[in-house]
Amino acid sequence: MEVPFYGHVRQYHNLKKEIDEAILNVLESGAYVMGPTLERFEKELAEYAGMAHAVGVNSGTDALWLAMMAKNIGPGDEVITTSNTFFATAEAIWIAGATPVFVDSDPKTHCIDVSNIEDAISPRTKAIVPVHLYGQCAEMERVHEIAQKHGLTVFEDNAQAIDAHGDTFKIGQFSAAVGTSFIIQKNLGTFGDGGAVLTDDADLAQHVRKLRNHGSLKRSVHSFGFNSRLDDIHAGILSVKLKRITEWSDRRREIAAMYTEGLKDSGLILPYEKPGYRHVYHLYVVHTPAGQRDDLLKYLNDNGVDAKLHYPIAIHQQEGFPWGKPYRIAGDLKNTEFNAANCISLPMFPELTQEEIDYTIQTTLEGCRKIL
Ligand SMILES: *Cc1c(COP(=O)(O)O)cnc(C)c1O
């Protein structure tokens, strides 16, 4: 049996009629860029997220750096974040012109370990970028307290956790802006690239609207800007999918519960759901206890389970920095390095079948018996 890692085409087939219609409507309308389909999706997204403004942009990476730039984060500034994330979190900080400062991740949730943040603050620190990793929120109430105390601005990297929240807070409540990604593999993904900035700050939203469109809000009138727009075809597709997001995250949670029950005696370290947090399982990440990861990954892949790694080389372990390290490390990054050495992501998408779920559990158990 082959269990794929992604279910994009299955999802398309399930919604084919509505998605085809949404695409054809845009094609027939003649309005492909900055048109009414984008405007409608931005309204729907803002309403769904409970935020005043959503601004569609070209990617999740752009969403983050455009928001930072709109709040004047730039050269000379430091931004505290985590090295235990997709590369783009740091990339966005670099593009804005600032320097990422990495603190270690929490050994259980793998999100930023908030207890490390205060020690990392320097006179140059301007912002904190927590990442809602794998589909679970970082501890935003504590991040907010620290930010308030030290006068720092918070930007949330929410590429992975749309529809997650805490019982007592929502994503976006404690920050200047949230950056979301709509690349296909995210929980809300289009057939291509896309992203959005969500904010309650009208000035910030307006500034991003200007930056994304060549510094222009009015035809022929420009100031400093870029080209980073969300195309109307993608907005049309995302409108169809947004209506399903809660149902899809519920299904992800159901699959996660089956994995967790099935693997409880496997010897693996299983995902930790922080009490009072809705984890939406963008990824279901297990950890080998002591470096047996590559053998287990090979066993799974050889037996048809397309497990993958998120992220086997943390950002500070990357070597593609020929001009010296463009970041600062605060404290040690032990938990991040443990994650890089031991993480394995099992197939996780709402369209997985019961047979595929059962086969993944059985194959993982067999692999663990042989290898751990
Ligand atoms: C995917 C991702 C991004 C970047 O999103 P793109 O749309 O690919 O630019 C940023 N941060 C995290 C944590 C991500 O997973």
Side-chain angles (χ1 to χ4, degrees):
M1 183 161 190
E2 300 280 321
V3 186
F5 193 76
Y6 297 117
H8 309 145
V9 178
R10 292 184 198 180
Q11 191 176 75
Y12 170 55
H13 287 161
N14 290 342
L15 300 174
K16 184 170 164 44
K17 196 165 160 289
E18 276 179 79
I19 287 175
D20 288 358
E21 198 175 282
I23 294 171
L24 290 174
N25 283 344
V26 175
L27 291 182
E28 291 292 346
S29 78
Y32 310 128
V33 181
M34 302 285 279
T37 313
L38 172 65
E39 215 171 289
R40 189 191 66 205
F41 172 65
E42 289 178 333
K43 285 210 180 80
E44 291 167 353
L45 180 67
E47 189 171 320
Y48 160 79
M51 303 292 288
H53 310 277
V55 185
V57 296
N58 197 30
S59 69
T61 311
D62 285 13
L64 282 171
W65 70 259
L66 286 165
M68 284 188 253
M69 190 176 280
K71 286 295 271 184
N72 282 320
I73 308 293
D77 298 337
E78 285 187 346
V79 177
I80 296 172
T81 189
T82 158
S83 178
N84 192 34
T85 175
F86 181 58
F87 194 72
T89 307
E91 215 177 8
I93 296 167
W94 288 317
I95 297 171
T99 302
V101 176
F102 298 128
V103 300
D104 206 6
S105 50
D106 180 281
K108 285 168 136 176
T109 65
H110 308 289
C111 291
I112 191 166
D113 184 340
V114 180
S115 65
N116 292 323
I117 293 177
E118 281 196 284
D119 284 346
I121 294 173
S122 82
R124 293 167 57 195
T125 307
K126 288 285 160 54
I128 308 171
V129 177
V131 182
H132 304 313
L133 196 71
Y134 304 151
Q136 179 158 242
C137 291
E139 290 177 79
M140 289 311 298
E141 286 158 318
R142 290 178 62 201
V143 170
H144 177 59
E145 260 171 49
I146 296 167
Q148 286 260 295
K149 185 169 151 197
H150 298 274
L152 307 176
T153 308
V154 179
F155 301 90
E156 290 170 71
D157 180 340
N158 191 31
Q160 301 194 356
I162 190 161
D163 200 45
H165 54 77
D167 287 353
T168 52
F169 69 90
K170 66 172 189 207
I171 290 172
Q173 183 175 339
F174 299 126
S175 55
V178 180
T180 298
S181 166
F182 303 126
I183 191 170
I184 180 66
Q185 60 263 41
K186 301 298 160 74
N187 289 21
L188 176 63
T190 184
F191 301 111
D193 272 307
V197 175
L198 288 145
T199 181
D200 284 330
D201 178 339
D203 291 340
L204 194 159
Q206 195 69 344
H207 200 155
V208 173
R209 280 191 200 102
K210 202 167 171 180
L211 287 173
R212 75 171 169 184
N213 190 37
H214 306 294
S216 177
L217 291 167
K218 193 171 161 215
R219 194 174 172 80
S220 304
V221 181
H222 299 265
S223 64
F224 186 69
F226 307 87
N227 178 350
S228 180
R229 298 171 297 222
L230 178 64
D231 296 330
D232 280 55
I233 285 187
H234 290 304
I237 294 165
L238 289 163
S239 276
V240 172
K241 292 192 174 194
L242 181 62
K243 287 184 257 171
R244 271 82 181 190
I245 189 66
T246 303
E247 175 195 320
W248 285 339
S249 357
D250 288 345
R251 173 66 180 153
R252 284 172 181 272
R253 290 179 51 74
E254 192 175 271
I255 297 168
M258 287 189 259
Y259 279 164
T260 296
E261 174 60 25
L263 297 173
K264 64 177 192 286
D265 299 321
S266 62
L268 293 169
I269 303 164
L270 301 178
Y272 173 71
E273 274 190 36
K274 211 174 150 47
Y277 283 53
R278 174 177 163 86
H279 193 324
V280 295
Y281 289 98
H282 170 57
L283 296 165
Y284 186 91
V285 180
V286 300
H287 292 80
T288 48
Q292 308 96 324
R293 192 270 309 288
D294 291 347
D295 291 339
L296 184 59
L297 178 71
K298 183 169 185 318
Y299 184 87
L300 291 171
N301 290 169
D302 286 351
N303 287 281
V305 176
D306 188 20
K308 294 193 185 297
L309 306 179
H310 300 86
Y311 298 92
I313 311 173
I315 301 175
H316 71 283
Q317 297 173 319
Q318 299 286 351
E319 290 178 347
F321 304 117
W323 302 284
K325 296 185 189 324
Y327 53 79
R328 178 164 74 78
I329 291 177
D332 67 56
L333 302 181
K334 276 200 310 279
N335 298 326
T336 297
E337 287 170 9
F338 178 87
N339 185 72
N342 289 285
C343 62
I344 298 190
S345 310
L346 299 180
M348 169 56 80
F349 55 89
E351 297 79 13
L352 277 172
T353 66
Q354 192 61 48
E355 294 67 38
E356 289 168 334
I357 296 163
D358 294 341
Y359 181 79
T360 300
I361 293 171
Q362 285 320 313
T363 310
T364 308
L365 286 174
E366 278 162 28
C368 289
R369 238 174 272 133
K370 292 196 163 79
I371 293 158
L372 297 193

